[in-house]
Amino acid sequence: MGSLSVKGLVARYGKTVALHGIDLELPDGEFFVILGPSGAGKTTTLKSIAGLVDQVEGEVRIAGRDMTGVEPYDRGVAMAFESYALYPQKTVEENLASPLRSGRNGTWTPQQQAERIKQVTTTLGIDHLLKRFPRELSNGQRQRTALGRVLVRPAEVYLLDEPLSHLDAKLRAAMRAELKQLGELSGTTTLYVTHDYQEALALGDRIGVLREGRLVQVGTPAQVWNEPVDTFVARALGQPEMNLLDAEVSGGEARVGKAFTVGAPVADGRVQVGIRPRDLEIVDQAPSTERLVLHGKVVLAERLGRSVELSVDVAGVQIITVTSDHRVQEGGDVALAVDWDRVHVFSADGARLGAARRPEGVLTGGAR
Ligand code: ATP
């Protein structure tokens, strides 16, 4: 077990610069999630730390040890790739035992091996498959076995690349909880990459949001959720995405078309007002000065399992919200309420300026 320190990490593939200077400090035992869209450089970050990218600059320290010139197998990392590699002619049990037999991971008695394999496979829900061969497994079971091959060996740092990507939604959700427990059990520093924001929020002690080879925000799940540094981070977290509405500020008040006005943290100019669909609540009772209340008409109601996604026209401005109230009908009137501090104000080019507040002298937010 050990800390992970990365300073000014630059990675290139020929002329392509994949990472533009990544800085990371993970204390011993932290579970850190890198969240980013396809092509952002997530896999490259892990590979660079593992010593698998040729053109790298910067400093990587694992458990305080400088990794410059250290071979991948000698770095004390265990890495799981999205594409799983298993020995086809070996059973699940033999696949998991082989990392423990290689000698690099210490000397394990057969009983210690069996206990470790039992512990890991129980957590991963594959302890009943130990005698099966990979060809006799589903894709999800294969992925869990591949993950088991990584987690079974002791390491200073685990590097996990979308290890749940091949699982169905239900299993993913179950595994998320299990995985966190396993991390806590062994207390091993883990760098985990995903493009799934729910996974990041559920698993990360901290999250780093990666965009085009740069970490644009690092913080706890609450920090990145509540105070996204810009509209990119705001939209990377949450489904449906945050509503971003053009507004004009004058005298410290931002007017969103003819729909509504909020107090803005700037005096004038153009801004974007952001509201997460799930922060809007359908209310019967309005008006209220405690919250911003918007009155509109439902133009589209799309049922998504237990919830309904609504597109609401508020005086010509389209706003998305989500409700569990299945009585809401297309064409019906609706009042939506949101806490003032859940309304975000971003500059025209996307940087977060702060939370909105109740505008001066306005008794009711919202337009009819
Ligand atoms: P995904 O979620 O799709 O796996 P990612 O965030 O892991 O994406 P990377 O695979 O790290 O992204 O790729 C980062 C950038 O580096 C991309 O622009 C990609 O095209 C480029 N890249 C990755 N591997 C290579 C390679 N072997 N040769 C050239 N360019 C590469």
Side-chain angles (χ1 to χ4, degrees):
M1 283 173 272
S3 59
L4 170 67
S5 165
V6 173
K7 287 200 182 108
L9 185 67
V10 174
R12 291 189 180 83
Y13 298 105
K15 286 194 176 130
T16 308
V17 184
L19 301 178
H20 293 267
I22 300 290
D23 297 313
L24 279 175
E25 291 293 334
L26 274 63
D28 191 5
E30 180 168 33
F31 199 113
F32 190 100
V33 178
I34 294 184
L35 174 71
S38 180
K42 304 183 296 296
T43 302
T44 304
T45 305
L46 297 189
K47 280 186 171 171
S48 302
I49 293 167
L52 300 170
V53 179
D54 293 335
Q55 292 176 269
V56 287
E57 291 162 28
E59 186 185 274
V60 175
R61 285 183 175 270
I62 294 170
R65 200 157 67 97
D66 185 356
M67 290 293 123
T68 311
V70 179
E71 292 295 330
Y73 63 79
D74 209 15
R75 293 192 171 207
V77 299
M79 180 160 174
F81 292 99
E82 189 183 344
S83 55
Y84 31 79
L86 296 173
Y87 293 110
Q89 75 284 15
K90 291 185 178 180
T91 63
V92 167
E93 187 172 27
E94 288 161 352
N95 264 287
L96 266 74
S98 62
L100 300 178
R101 290 195 189 127
S102 74
R104 279 190 199 125
N105 296 306
T107 313
W108 296 66
T109 65
Q111 195 192 338
Q112 285 170 328
Q113 286 180 23
E115 279 169 11
R116 181 69 182 152
I117 290 169
K118 183 77 188 158
Q119 182 192 14
V120 170
T121 53
T122 303
T123 307
L124 294 172
I126 51 171
D127 50 325
H128 60 297
L129 304 170
L130 292 180
K131 302 296 173 205
R132 296 245 193 117
F133 289 92
R135 64 175 179 276
E136 298 168 329
L137 302 175
S138 71
N139 277 343
Q141 291 166 341
R142 261 181 235 142
Q143 192 165 32
R144 280 183 282 162
T145 306
L147 184 57
R149 266 177 63 77
V150 176
L151 299 181
V152 79
R153 69 186 108 168
E156 302 283 5
V157 176
Y158 289 135
L159 303 173
L160 306 181
D161 191 353
E162 309 235 12
L164 307 184
S165 59
H166 291 279
L167 307 181
D168 63 48
K170 203 170 151 207
L171 198 51
R172 256 175 111 96
M175 281 281 300
R176 248 183 238 148
E178 299 283 340
L179 205 60
K180 189 67 194 275
Q181 271 180 9
L182 190 95
E184 279 169 6
L185 263 182
S186 59
T188 305
T189 313
T190 302
L191 190 56
Y192 182 107
V193 313
T194 182
H195 65 274
D196 180 334
Y197 81 93
Q198 286 180 311
E199 220 165 275
L201 290 173
L203 287 175
D205 294 327
R206 285 188 302 156
I207 297 172
V209 182
L210 193 64
R211 178 188 193 184
E212 294 171 7
R214 291 183 173 86
L215 274 175
V216 288
Q217 185 168 9
V218 172
T220 62
Q223 284 166 342
V224 289
W225 180 263
N226 292 326
E227 293 180 18
V229 289
D230 59 20
T231 50
F232 177 84
V233 176
R235 295 175 70 178
L237 292 115
Q239 194 58 41
E241 286 178 4
M242 183 185 277
N243 291 287
L244 287 171
L245 313 167
D246 290 332
E248 189 77 44
V249 190
S250 116
E253 296 193 349
R255 173 152 277 280
V256 180
K258 292 190 172 63
F260 63 93
T261 300
V262 295
V266 280
D268 47 32
R270 293 202 64 78
V271 295
Q272 298 177 75
V273 171
I275 305 176
R276 291 190 192 284
R278 286 175 204 278
D279 284 339
L280 286 158
E281 186 196 349
I282 294 183
V283 287
D284 295 329
Q285 281 297 337
S288 153
T289 53
E290 301 299 312
R291 309 171 84 190
L292 170 65
V293 181
L294 311 174
H295 297 273
K297 199 176 271 301
V298 177
V299 286
L300 200 68
E302 200 179 342
R303 293 184 199 284
L304 309 165
R306 278 198 290 176
S307 56
V308 187
E309 184 175 322
L310 305 178
S311 177
V312 179
D313 181 290
V314 179
V317 175
Q318 186 196 294
I319 293 177
I320 304 293
T321 184
V322 179
T323 178
S324 54
D325 186 346
H326 282 249
R327 290 167 307 171
V328 179
Q329 297 290 338
E330 282 177 15
D333 289 330
V334 73
L336 304 171
V338 55
D339 291 342
W340 293 105
D341 63 359
R342 303 268 90 198
V343 180
H344 308 261
V345 182
F346 300 94
S347 66
D349 59 9
R352 188 173 193 271
L353 302 170
R357 44 180 177 72
R358 187 163 67 87
E360 302 295 328
V362 172
L363 293 177
T364 61
R368 195 169 273 281

